[in-house]
Structure formats: C-alpha cells, structure tokens
C-alpha cells in the first residue's frame, strides 16, 4: 500500500487539474500544484504509525511530499523561478529517503514553503 500512496497522490493532483480545467477555469501550473501540496503538509510531520494502525496521515504526508517534489522538478524545467522550490523539496525527499525519519526533512519543507 505504501508504494501506491505517491501514485494515488499524483492521480489526485491530475484530477484536480482536470476538474479545474473542465469548468472553464485555468488549471494550475506544475509549480502552483506543487505549492498547493506543500501547503497541505503539516508543520510537524506525522509519526510513522504502527503496522496495524488505520491512521494514514503519515502515508498521505509522504505521498504529498514526493508528488510535490516531482511537480516542482518538472516546473523548474519549464520555469527557472521554481528551481529553489524544486531544490528544497528534493532535499526534503532525499533526507527522508536516506534517514527514514520524516522529521529530519521538516527544515527543508519549511524552506520550500518560503518559495511558494
């Protein structure tokens, strides 16, 4: 299930684009969508639940972080103004990937917020 969370988060972001575009409104750019996900991340990231927990807040937060990082990376390819956001989110994602401690990624997430 944990492997599906980033995929599900990406699908939700794409659905948001589709629904925003279908009503005649302009869908957000990749950078705007990345910032929307960053704003949904809590200031204090949730602790990893026990394996029998029904609390999915940790998985949701990790999925949003990964999806925001990827959207920011793509946005920076198109518009250099998103490079600082992409760098901050890449640092957060890399920190989590190497330490498996989401709380150690919080400073980079805080920095990413300043670029939104």
């Amino acid at each position: 299930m944990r492997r599906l969370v980033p995929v599900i988060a990406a699908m939700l972001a794409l659905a948001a684009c589709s629904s925003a575009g279908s009503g005649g409104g302009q869908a957000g750019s990749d950078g705007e969508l990345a910032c929307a996900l960053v704003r949904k991340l809590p200031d204090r990231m949730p602790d990893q639940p026990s394996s029998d927990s029904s609390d999915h807040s940790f998985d949701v937060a990790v999925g949003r972080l990964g999806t925001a990082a990827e959207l920011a990376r793509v946005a920076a390819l198109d518009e250099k103004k998103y490079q600082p956001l992409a760098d901050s989110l890449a640092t957060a994602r890399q920190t989590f990937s190497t330490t498996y401690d989401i709380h150690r990624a919080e400073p980079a997430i805080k920095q990413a917020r300043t670029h939104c």
Side-chain angles (χ1 to χ4, degrees), residues 29-67:
S29 71
D30 292 329
E32 291 166 343
L33 290 171
C35 283
L37 287 173
V38 168
R39 284 189 289 275
K40 288 183 155 228
L41 292 172
D43 290 334
R44 171 91 171 130
M45 296 295 277
D47 293 324
Q48 187 167 2
S50 63
S51 61
D52 63 341
S53 176
S54 63
D55 179 15
H56 300 290
S57 59
F58 177 83
D59 290 331
V60 169
V62 170
R64 285 181 178 151
L65 173 60
T67 303

PDB file of all heavy atoms in Angstrom, residues 29-67:
ATOM      1  N   SER A  29      -0.382  25.617 -12.830  1.00  0.00           N
ATOM      2  CA  SER A  29       0.874  25.119 -13.388  1.00  0.00           C
ATOM      3  C   SER A  29       1.434  24.043 -12.460  1.00  0.00           C
ATOM      4  O   SER A  29       0.976  23.879 -11.328  1.00  0.00           O
ATOM      5  CB  SER A  29       1.872  26.266 -13.523  1.00  0.00           C
ATOM      6  OG  SER A  29       2.317  26.679 -12.236  1.00  0.00           O
ATOM      7  N   ASP A  30       2.442  23.341 -12.926  1.00  0.00           N
ATOM      8  CA  ASP A  30       3.079  22.321 -12.091  1.00  0.00           C
ATOM      9  C   ASP A  30       3.612  22.953 -10.811  1.00  0.00           C
ATOM     10  O   ASP A  30       3.482  22.381  -9.730  1.00  0.00           O
ATOM     11  CB  ASP A  30       4.206  21.627 -12.852  1.00  0.00           C
ATOM     12  CG  ASP A  30       3.696  20.773 -14.001  1.00  0.00           C
ATOM     13  OD1 ASP A  30       2.578  20.243 -13.900  1.00  0.00           O
ATOM     14  OD2 ASP A  30       4.432  20.642 -14.997  1.00  0.00           O
ATOM     15  N   GLY A  31       4.195  24.134 -10.911  1.00  0.00           N
ATOM     16  CA  GLY A  31       4.712  24.824  -9.731  1.00  0.00           C
ATOM     17  C   GLY A  31       3.611  25.203  -8.757  1.00  0.00           C
ATOM     18  O   GLY A  31       3.765  25.069  -7.537  1.00  0.00           O
ATOM     19  N   GLU A  32       2.489  25.668  -9.284  1.00  0.00           N
ATOM     20  CA  GLU A  32       1.355  26.016  -8.417  1.00  0.00           C
ATOM     21  C   GLU A  32       0.782  24.782  -7.734  1.00  0.00           C
ATOM     22  O   GLU A  32       0.402  24.829  -6.559  1.00  0.00           O
ATOM     23  CB  GLU A  32       0.269  26.726  -9.233  1.00  0.00           C
ATOM     24  CG  GLU A  32       0.689  28.104  -9.704  1.00  0.00           C
ATOM     25  CD  GLU A  32      -0.225  28.664 -10.780  1.00  0.00           C
ATOM     26  OE1 GLU A  32      -0.978  27.885 -11.399  1.00  0.00           O
ATOM     27  OE2 GLU A  32      -0.173  29.883 -11.003  1.00  0.00           O
ATOM     28  N   LEU A  33       0.724  23.682  -8.460  1.00  0.00           N
ATOM     29  CA  LEU A  33       0.236  22.434  -7.859  1.00  0.00           C
ATOM     30  C   LEU A  33       1.202  21.935  -6.786  1.00  0.00           C
ATOM     31  O   LEU A  33       0.774  21.458  -5.737  1.00  0.00           O
ATOM     32  CB  LEU A  33       0.040  21.368  -8.933  1.00  0.00           C
ATOM     33  CG  LEU A  33      -1.123  21.614  -9.893  1.00  0.00           C
ATOM     34  CD1 LEU A  33      -1.086  20.606 -11.037  1.00  0.00           C
ATOM     35  CD2 LEU A  33      -2.447  21.527  -9.153  1.00  0.00           C
ATOM     36  N   ALA A  34       2.506  22.071  -7.043  1.00  0.00           N
ATOM     37  CA  ALA A  34       3.500  21.680  -6.036  1.00  0.00           C
ATOM     38  C   ALA A  34       3.307  22.517  -4.776  1.00  0.00           C
ATOM     39  O   ALA A  34       3.312  21.985  -3.658  1.00  0.00           O
ATOM     40  CB  ALA A  34       4.916  21.850  -6.584  1.00  0.00           C
ATOM     41  N   CYS A  35       3.104  23.818  -4.941  1.00  0.00           N
ATOM     42  CA  CYS A  35       2.890  24.691  -3.781  1.00  0.00           C
ATOM     43  C   CYS A  35       1.599  24.339  -3.049  1.00  0.00           C
ATOM     44  O   CYS A  35       1.549  24.393  -1.817  1.00  0.00           O
ATOM     45  CB  CYS A  35       2.880  26.154  -4.221  1.00  0.00           C
ATOM     46  SG  CYS A  35       4.545  26.804  -4.529  1.00  0.00           S
ATOM     47  N   ALA A  36       0.577  23.972  -3.787  1.00  0.00           N
ATOM     48  CA  ALA A  36      -0.679  23.572  -3.143  1.00  0.00           C
ATOM     49  C   ALA A  36      -0.454  22.349  -2.258  1.00  0.00           C
ATOM     50  O   ALA A  36      -0.989  22.276  -1.141  1.00  0.00           O
ATOM     51  CB  ALA A  36      -1.743  23.292  -4.192  1.00  0.00           C
ATOM     52  N   LEU A  37       0.345  21.412  -2.721  1.00  0.00           N
ATOM     53  CA  LEU A  37       0.645  20.222  -1.912  1.00  0.00           C
ATOM     54  C   LEU A  37       1.522  20.576  -0.719  1.00  0.00           C
ATOM     55  O   LEU A  37       1.333  20.041   0.375  1.00  0.00           O
ATOM     56  CB  LEU A  37       1.304  19.147  -2.768  1.00  0.00           C
ATOM     57  CG  LEU A  37       0.376  18.435  -3.745  1.00  0.00           C
ATOM     58  CD1 LEU A  37       1.164  17.518  -4.670  1.00  0.00           C
ATOM     59  CD2 LEU A  37      -0.691  17.652  -3.005  1.00  0.00           C
ATOM     60  N   VAL A  38       2.482  21.480  -0.913  1.00  0.00           N
ATOM     61  CA  VAL A  38       3.335  21.911   0.202  1.00  0.00           C
ATOM     62  C   VAL A  38       2.481  22.553   1.293  1.00  0.00           C
ATOM     63  O   VAL A  38       2.689  22.312   2.484  1.00  0.00           O
ATOM     64  CB  VAL A  38       4.441  22.872  -0.284  1.00  0.00           C
ATOM     65  CG1 VAL A  38       5.142  23.556   0.871  1.00  0.00           C
ATOM     66  CG2 VAL A  38       5.454  22.129  -1.153  1.00  0.00           C
ATOM     67  N   ARG A  39       1.508  23.359   0.887  1.00  0.00           N
ATOM     68  CA  ARG A  39       0.629  23.997   1.864  1.00  0.00           C
ATOM     69  C   ARG A  39      -0.217  22.979   2.627  1.00  0.00           C
ATOM     70  O   ARG A  39      -0.639  23.240   3.751  1.00  0.00           O
ATOM     71  CB  ARG A  39      -0.272  25.022   1.187  1.00  0.00           C
ATOM     72  CG  ARG A  39       0.459  26.311   0.824  1.00  0.00           C
ATOM     73  CD  ARG A  39      -0.490  27.394   0.346  1.00  0.00           C
ATOM     74  NE  ARG A  39      -1.044  27.132  -0.970  1.00  0.00           N
ATOM     75  CZ  ARG A  39      -0.454  27.450  -2.120  1.00  0.00           C
ATOM     76  NH1 ARG A  39       0.728  28.053  -2.117  1.00  0.00           N
ATOM     77  NH2 ARG A  39      -1.039  27.181  -3.271  1.00  0.00           N
ATOM     78  N   LYS A  40      -0.445  21.818   2.052  1.00  0.00           N
ATOM     79  CA  LYS A  40      -1.228  20.770   2.726  1.00  0.00           C
ATOM     80  C   LYS A  40      -0.376  19.957   3.703  1.00  0.00           C
ATOM     81  O   LYS A  40      -0.919  19.218   4.522  1.00  0.00           O
ATOM     82  CB  LYS A  40      -1.859  19.821   1.697  1.00  0.00           C
ATOM     83  CG  LYS A  40      -2.999  20.459   0.947  1.00  0.00           C
ATOM     84  CD  LYS A  40      -3.626  19.438   0.007  1.00  0.00           C
ATOM     85  CE  LYS A  40      -5.046  19.843  -0.257  1.00  0.00           C
ATOM     86  NZ  LYS A  40      -5.971  18.758  -0.097  1.00  0.00           N
ATOM     87  N   LEU A  41       0.944  20.099   3.620  1.00  0.00           N
ATOM     88  CA  LEU A  41       1.808  19.367   4.548  1.00  0.00           C
ATOM     89  C   LEU A  41       1.743  20.022   5.923  1.00  0.00           C
ATOM     90  O   LEU A  41       1.782  21.249   6.033  1.00  0.00           O
ATOM     91  CB  LEU A  41       3.259  19.364   4.048  1.00  0.00           C
ATOM     92  CG  LEU A  41       3.532  18.558   2.790  1.00  0.00           C
ATOM     93  CD1 LEU A  41       4.959  18.798   2.310  1.00  0.00           C
ATOM     94  CD2 LEU A  41       3.301  17.079   3.053  1.00  0.00           C
ATOM     95  N   PRO A  42       1.659  19.227   6.982  1.00  0.00           N
ATOM     96  CA  PRO A  42       1.618  19.804   8.323  1.00  0.00           C
ATOM     97  C   PRO A  42       2.981  20.374   8.725  1.00  0.00           C
ATOM     98  O   PRO A  42       4.014  19.942   8.209  1.00  0.00           O
ATOM     99  CB  PRO A  42       1.240  18.610   9.208  1.00  0.00           C
ATOM    100  CG  PRO A  42       1.679  17.411   8.448  1.00  0.00           C
ATOM    101  CD  PRO A  42       1.566  17.770   6.988  1.00  0.00           C
ATOM    102  N   ASP A  43       2.972  21.360   9.630  1.00  0.00           N
ATOM    103  CA  ASP A  43       4.231  21.915  10.132  1.00  0.00           C
ATOM    104  C   ASP A  43       5.055  20.833  10.821  1.00  0.00           C
ATOM    105  O   ASP A  43       6.270  20.770  10.660  1.00  0.00           O
ATOM    106  CB  ASP A  43       3.969  23.061  11.115  1.00  0.00           C
ATOM    107  CG  ASP A  43       3.414  24.292  10.425  1.00  0.00           C
ATOM    108  OD1 ASP A  43       3.674  24.477   9.214  1.00  0.00           O
ATOM    109  OD2 ASP A  43       2.706  25.069  11.086  1.00  0.00           O
ATOM    110  N   ARG A  44       4.398  20.022  11.596  1.00  0.00           N
ATOM    111  CA  ARG A  44       5.036  18.879  12.254  1.00  0.00           C
ATOM    112  C   ARG A  44       4.531  17.638  11.544  1.00  0.00           C
ATOM    113  O   ARG A  44       3.339  17.310  11.598  1.00  0.00           O
ATOM    114  CB  ARG A  44       4.660  18.849  13.734  1.00  0.00           C
ATOM    115  CG  ARG A  44       5.094  17.613  14.460  1.00  0.00           C
ATOM    116  CD  ARG A  44       6.466  17.774  15.062  1.00  0.00           C
ATOM    117  NE  ARG A  44       6.729  16.613  15.922  1.00  0.00           N
ATOM    118  CZ  ARG A  44       7.836  15.907  15.835  1.00  0.00           C
ATOM    119  NH1 ARG A  44       8.775  16.240  15.000  1.00  0.00           N
ATOM    120  NH2 ARG A  44       8.019  14.876  16.617  1.00  0.00           N
ATOM    121  N   MET A  45       5.434  16.986  10.840  1.00  0.00           N
ATOM    122  CA  MET A  45       5.042  15.811  10.078  1.00  0.00           C
ATOM    123  C   MET A  45       4.602  14.699  11.032  1.00  0.00           C
ATOM    124  O   MET A  45       5.106  14.590  12.152  1.00  0.00           O
ATOM    125  CB  MET A  45       6.208  15.335   9.210  1.00  0.00           C
ATOM    126  CG  MET A  45       6.623  16.349   8.138  1.00  0.00           C
ATOM    127  SD  MET A  45       5.347  16.638   6.894  1.00  0.00           S
ATOM    128  CE  MET A  45       5.660  15.251   5.820  1.00  0.00           C
ATOM    129  N   PRO A  46       3.636  13.881  10.597  1.00  0.00           N
ATOM    130  CA  PRO A  46       3.129  12.812  11.473  1.00  0.00           C
ATOM    131  C   PRO A  46       4.165  11.715  11.676  1.00  0.00           C
ATOM    132  O   PRO A  46       5.019  11.475  10.826  1.00  0.00           O
ATOM    133  CB  PRO A  46       1.912  12.284  10.721  1.00  0.00           C
ATOM    134  CG  PRO A  46       2.066  12.735   9.321  1.00  0.00           C
ATOM    135  CD  PRO A  46       2.949  13.940   9.322  1.00  0.00           C
ATOM    136  N   ASP A  47       4.074  11.085  12.829  1.00  0.00           N
ATOM    137  CA  ASP A  47       4.935   9.946  13.114  1.00  0.00           C
ATOM    138  C   ASP A  47       4.462   8.753  12.299  1.00  0.00           C
ATOM    139  O   ASP A  47       3.280   8.643  11.962  1.00  0.00           O
ATOM    140  CB  ASP A  47       4.878   9.583  14.602  1.00  0.00           C
ATOM    141  CG  ASP A  47       5.499  10.665  15.467  1.00  0.00           C
ATOM    142  OD1 ASP A  47       6.496  11.280  15.035  1.00  0.00           O
ATOM    143  OD2 ASP A  47       4.975  10.903  16.566  1.00  0.00           O
ATOM    144  N   GLN A  48       5.403   7.879  11.999  1.00  0.00           N
ATOM    145  CA  GLN A  48       5.046   6.659  11.281  1.00  0.00           C
ATOM    146  C   GLN A  48       4.201   5.787  12.212  1.00  0.00           C
ATOM    147  O   GLN A  48       4.610   5.510  13.339  1.00  0.00           O
ATOM    148  CB  GLN A  48       6.293   5.910  10.840  1.00  0.00           C
ATOM    149  CG  GLN A  48       5.995   4.741   9.946  1.00  0.00           C
ATOM    150  CD  GLN A  48       7.244   4.204   9.282  1.00  0.00           C
ATOM    151  OE1 GLN A  48       8.344   4.678   9.506  1.00  0.00           O
ATOM    152  NE2 GLN A  48       7.073   3.203   8.459  1.00  0.00           N
ATOM    153  N   PRO A  49       3.015   5.383  11.750  1.00  0.00           N
ATOM    154  CA  PRO A  49       2.137   4.590  12.622  1.00  0.00           C
ATOM    155  C   PRO A  49       2.615   3.151  12.723  1.00  0.00           C
ATOM    156  O   PRO A  49       3.422   2.684  11.921  1.00  0.00           O
ATOM    157  CB  PRO A  49       0.789   4.659  11.902  1.00  0.00           C
ATOM    158  CG  PRO A  49       1.152   4.816  10.464  1.00  0.00           C
ATOM    159  CD  PRO A  49       2.418   5.644  10.452  1.00  0.00           C
ATOM    160  N   SER A  50       2.095   2.473  13.718  1.00  0.00           N
ATOM    161  CA  SER A  50       2.375   1.045  13.826  1.00  0.00           C
ATOM    162  C   SER A  50       1.732   0.339  12.645  1.00  0.00           C
ATOM    163  O   SER A  50       0.836   0.873  11.995  1.00  0.00           O
ATOM    164  CB  SER A  50       1.839   0.489  15.148  1.00  0.00           C
ATOM    165  OG  SER A  50       0.438   0.623  15.199  1.00  0.00           O
ATOM    166  N   SER A  51       2.178  -0.848  12.361  1.00  0.00           N
ATOM    167  CA  SER A  51       1.708  -1.575  11.176  1.00  0.00           C
ATOM    168  C   SER A  51       0.222  -1.899  11.219  1.00  0.00           C
ATOM    169  O   SER A  51      -0.390  -2.117  10.180  1.00  0.00           O
ATOM    170  CB  SER A  51       2.510  -2.861  10.993  1.00  0.00           C
ATOM    171  OG  SER A  51       2.344  -3.694  12.124  1.00  0.00           O
ATOM    172  N   ASP A  52      -0.384  -1.925  12.400  1.00  0.00           N
ATOM    173  CA  ASP A  52      -1.804  -2.254  12.491  1.00  0.00           C
ATOM    174  C   ASP A  52      -2.690  -1.014  12.617  1.00  0.00           C
ATOM    175  O   ASP A  52      -3.887  -1.128  12.827  1.00  0.00           O
ATOM    176  CB  ASP A  52      -2.056  -3.213  13.652  1.00  0.00           C
ATOM    177  CG  ASP A  52      -1.700  -2.596  15.000  1.00  0.00           C
ATOM    178  OD1 ASP A  52      -0.943  -1.614  15.027  1.00  0.00           O
ATOM    179  OD2 ASP A  52      -2.171  -3.123  16.025  1.00  0.00           O
ATOM    180  N   SER A  53      -2.119   0.157  12.438  1.00  0.00           N
ATOM    181  CA  SER A  53      -2.873   1.397  12.591  1.00  0.00           C
ATOM    182  C   SER A  53      -3.711   1.702  11.356  1.00  0.00           C
ATOM    183  O   SER A  53      -3.321   1.430  10.226  1.00  0.00           O
ATOM    184  CB  SER A  53      -1.909   2.560  12.843  1.00  0.00           C
ATOM    185  OG  SER A  53      -2.622   3.771  12.892  1.00  0.00           O
ATOM    186  N   SER A  54      -4.855   2.304  11.583  1.00  0.00           N
ATOM    187  CA  SER A  54      -5.700   2.728  10.463  1.00  0.00           C
ATOM    188  C   SER A  54      -5.474   4.204  10.147  1.00  0.00           C
ATOM    189  O   SER A  54      -6.138   4.755   9.278  1.00  0.00           O
ATOM    190  CB  SER A  54      -7.176   2.470  10.788  1.00  0.00           C
ATOM    191  OG  SER A  54      -7.554   3.247  11.907  1.00  0.00           O
ATOM    192  N   ASP A  55      -4.534   4.845  10.843  1.00  0.00           N
ATOM    193  CA  ASP A  55      -4.203   6.245  10.601  1.00  0.00           C
ATOM    194  C   ASP A  55      -3.271   6.316   9.395  1.00  0.00           C
ATOM    195  O   ASP A  55      -2.175   5.775   9.408  1.00  0.00           O
ATOM    196  CB  ASP A  55      -3.521   6.840  11.833  1.00  0.00           C
ATOM    197  CG  ASP A  55      -3.129   8.288  11.634  1.00  0.00           C
ATOM    198  OD1 ASP A  55      -3.613   8.932  10.677  1.00  0.00           O
ATOM    199  OD2 ASP A  55      -2.335   8.790  12.451  1.00  0.00           O
ATOM    200  N   HIS A  56      -3.716   6.993   8.355  1.00  0.00           N
ATOM    201  CA  HIS A  56      -2.943   7.074   7.119  1.00  0.00           C
ATOM    202  C   HIS A  56      -2.277   8.431   6.936  1.00  0.00           C
ATOM    203  O   HIS A  56      -1.766   8.724   5.859  1.00  0.00           O
ATOM    204  CB  HIS A  56      -3.846   6.779   5.920  1.00  0.00           C
ATOM    205  CG  HIS A  56      -4.465   5.429   5.970  1.00  0.00           C
ATOM    206  ND1 HIS A  56      -3.748   4.271   5.798  1.00  0.00           N
ATOM    207  CD2 HIS A  56      -5.734   5.041   6.217  1.00  0.00           C
ATOM    208  CE1 HIS A  56      -4.544   3.233   5.917  1.00  0.00           C
ATOM    209  NE2 HIS A  56      -5.762   3.674   6.180  1.00  0.00           N
ATOM    210  N   SER A  57      -2.249   9.258   7.979  1.00  0.00           N
ATOM    211  CA  SER A  57      -1.701  10.606   7.841  1.00  0.00           C
ATOM    212  C   SER A  57      -0.225  10.596   7.452  1.00  0.00           C
ATOM    213  O   SER A  57       0.218  11.445   6.684  1.00  0.00           O
ATOM    214  CB  SER A  57      -1.919  11.417   9.119  1.00  0.00           C
ATOM    215  OG  SER A  57      -1.303  10.790  10.230  1.00  0.00           O
ATOM    216  N   PHE A  58       0.532   9.634   7.940  1.00  0.00           N
ATOM    217  CA  PHE A  58       1.948   9.530   7.577  1.00  0.00           C
ATOM    218  C   PHE A  58       2.087   9.231   6.086  1.00  0.00           C
ATOM    219  O   PHE A  58       2.839   9.906   5.379  1.00  0.00           O
ATOM    220  CB  PHE A  58       2.635   8.433   8.399  1.00  0.00           C
ATOM    221  CG  PHE A  58       4.073   8.218   8.034  1.00  0.00           C
ATOM    222  CD1 PHE A  58       5.066   9.028   8.555  1.00  0.00           C
ATOM    223  CD2 PHE A  58       4.441   7.200   7.166  1.00  0.00           C
ATOM    224  CE1 PHE A  58       6.404   8.832   8.215  1.00  0.00           C
ATOM    225  CE2 PHE A  58       5.761   6.992   6.822  1.00  0.00           C
ATOM    226  CZ  PHE A  58       6.746   7.813   7.345  1.00  0.00           C
ATOM    227  N   ASP A  59       1.356   8.234   5.610  1.00  0.00           N
ATOM    228  CA  ASP A  59       1.429   7.859   4.197  1.00  0.00           C
ATOM    229  C   ASP A  59       0.970   8.999   3.287  1.00  0.00           C
ATOM    230  O   ASP A  59       1.549   9.233   2.230  1.00  0.00           O
ATOM    231  CB  ASP A  59       0.599   6.610   3.920  1.00  0.00           C
ATOM    232  CG  ASP A  59       1.208   5.366   4.538  1.00  0.00           C
ATOM    233  OD1 ASP A  59       2.439   5.315   4.690  1.00  0.00           O
ATOM    234  OD2 ASP A  59       0.444   4.449   4.872  1.00  0.00           O
ATOM    235  N   VAL A  60      -0.062   9.715   3.704  1.00  0.00           N
ATOM    236  CA  VAL A  60      -0.563  10.840   2.919  1.00  0.00           C
ATOM    237  C   VAL A  60       0.501  11.932   2.848  1.00  0.00           C
ATOM    238  O   VAL A  60       0.774  12.486   1.781  1.00  0.00           O
ATOM    239  CB  VAL A  60      -1.891  11.378   3.506  1.00  0.00           C
ATOM    240  CG1 VAL A  60      -2.284  12.698   2.865  1.00  0.00           C
ATOM    241  CG2 VAL A  60      -2.994  10.348   3.329  1.00  0.00           C
ATOM    242  N   ALA A  61       1.117  12.245   3.983  1.00  0.00           N
ATOM    243  CA  ALA A  61       2.144  13.292   4.016  1.00  0.00           C
ATOM    244  C   ALA A  61       3.348  12.912   3.141  1.00  0.00           C
ATOM    245  O   ALA A  61       3.853  13.744   2.378  1.00  0.00           O
ATOM    246  CB  ALA A  61       2.580  13.558   5.453  1.00  0.00           C
ATOM    247  N   VAL A  62       3.788  11.671   3.236  1.00  0.00           N
ATOM    248  CA  VAL A  62       4.921  11.214   2.425  1.00  0.00           C
ATOM    249  C   VAL A  62       4.554  11.247   0.937  1.00  0.00           C
ATOM    250  O   VAL A  62       5.357  11.662   0.094  1.00  0.00           O
ATOM    251  CB  VAL A  62       5.387   9.801   2.866  1.00  0.00           C
ATOM    252  CG1 VAL A  62       6.384   9.218   1.879  1.00  0.00           C
ATOM    253  CG2 VAL A  62       5.989   9.866   4.256  1.00  0.00           C
ATOM    254  N   GLY A  63       3.345  10.840   0.609  1.00  0.00           N
ATOM    255  CA  GLY A  63       2.888  10.892  -0.781  1.00  0.00           C
ATOM    256  C   GLY A  63       2.831  12.312  -1.310  1.00  0.00           C
ATOM    257  O   GLY A  63       3.250  12.584  -2.437  1.00  0.00           O
ATOM    258  N   ARG A  64       2.320  13.222  -0.502  1.00  0.00           N
ATOM    259  CA  ARG A  64       2.263  14.628  -0.917  1.00  0.00           C
ATOM    260  C   ARG A  64       3.664  15.203  -1.095  1.00  0.00           C
ATOM    261  O   ARG A  64       3.914  15.954  -2.032  1.00  0.00           O
ATOM    262  CB  ARG A  64       1.474  15.446   0.095  1.00  0.00           C
ATOM    263  CG  ARG A  64      -0.010  15.219  -0.004  1.00  0.00           C
ATOM    264  CD  ARG A  64      -0.780  16.062   0.984  1.00  0.00           C
ATOM    265  NE  ARG A  64      -2.212  15.843   0.801  1.00  0.00           N
ATOM    266  CZ  ARG A  64      -3.100  15.955   1.751  1.00  0.00           C
ATOM    267  NH1 ARG A  64      -2.739  16.315   2.973  1.00  0.00           N
ATOM    268  NH2 ARG A  64      -4.371  15.727   1.487  1.00  0.00           N
ATOM    269  N   LEU A  65       4.567  14.868  -0.186  1.00  0.00           N
ATOM    270  CA  LEU A  65       5.942  15.360  -0.300  1.00  0.00           C
ATOM    271  C   LEU A  65       6.575  14.870  -1.598  1.00  0.00           C
ATOM    272  O   LEU A  65       7.164  15.653  -2.350  1.00  0.00           O
ATOM    273  CB  LEU A  65       6.774  14.909   0.903  1.00  0.00           C
ATOM    274  CG  LEU A  65       8.262  15.226   0.827  1.00  0.00           C
ATOM    275  CD1 LEU A  65       8.503  16.732   0.715  1.00  0.00           C
ATOM    276  CD2 LEU A  65       8.983  14.649   2.037  1.00  0.00           C
ATOM    277  N   GLY A  66       6.456  13.588  -1.876  1.00  0.00           N
ATOM    278  CA  GLY A  66       7.050  13.034  -3.098  1.00  0.00           C
ATOM    279  C   GLY A  66       6.436  13.608  -4.356  1.00  0.00           C
ATOM    280  O   GLY A  66       7.138  13.932  -5.316  1.00  0.00           O
ATOM    281  N   THR A  67       5.132  13.772  -4.353  1.00  0.00           N
ATOM    282  CA  THR A  67       4.447  14.316  -5.524  1.00  0.00           C
ATOM    283  C   THR A  67       4.797  15.784  -5.714  1.00  0.00           C
ATOM    284  O   THR A  67       5.046  16.225  -6.835  1.00  0.00           O
ATOM    285  CB  THR A  67       2.923  14.131  -5.389  1.00  0.00           C
ATOM    286  OG1 THR A  67       2.655  12.736  -5.205  1.00  0.00           O
ATOM    287  CG2 THR A  67       2.190  14.624  -6.614  1.00  0.00           C
TER     288      THR A  67
END
